[in-house]
Amino acid sequence: SAFADNGQPQHVHDPSAVYRSDFFPGLGWVMTQRLWSELGPKWPKAFWDDWLREPANRRGRASIRPEVSRSYTYGVKGVSSGQFS
C-alpha cells in the first residue's frame, strides 16, 4: 500500500519507515500480476475492500504500508465508478 490513514505531517516522523499488517490497509496499493490472476476473475463490483479482507481471499498474506503516505487523490471518479459520490 502507498497510503497511510494517519500519514499527515503531525502524525509521522520517519519517511523511510514501513509497517507490515495482516489487515488490508485500504487505498493506494498495487499487487503482483500473479495475485491479480488469482483474484481478478472473482473481483466484486462493490465493496472490494471488505471482500479483500476476507480470510478466503487474504489467505494469510500480509501487506506493507509506509508511515508517510505515497499516494494522492484528486477526487475524480475511480474504481467504484462513482457509486459513492
Side-chain angles (χ1 to χ4, degrees):
S1 176
F3 181 76
D5 288 312
N6 295 311
Q8 302 91 5
Q10 67 270 28
H11 300 300
V12 299
H13 306 288
D14 186 353
S16 65
V18 294
Y19 300 95
R20 180 182 302 271
S21 175
D22 62 354
F23 188 79
F24 176 68
L27 308 171
W29 49 273
V30 297
M31 69 175 69
T32 64
Q33 182 176 357
R34 181 176 166 194
L35 183 56
W36 178 249
S37 294
E38 174 192 331
L39 298 174
K42 56 184 183 175
W43 199 265
K45 292 185 184 274
F47 306 107
W48 56 266
D49 50 342
D50 293 324
W51 174 84
L52 200 51
R53 291 179 180 111
E54 292 177 7
N57 297 317
R58 195 171 56 80
R59 296 181 49 199
R61 293 179 274 235
S63 57
I64 59 171
R65 66 160 181 85
E67 181 169 317
V68 177
S69 288
R70 305 302 200 268
S71 61
Y72 173 78
T73 181
Y74 44 86
V76 176
K77 186 168 147 180
V79 175
S80 66
S81 301
Q83 63 186 333
F84 302 109
S85 33

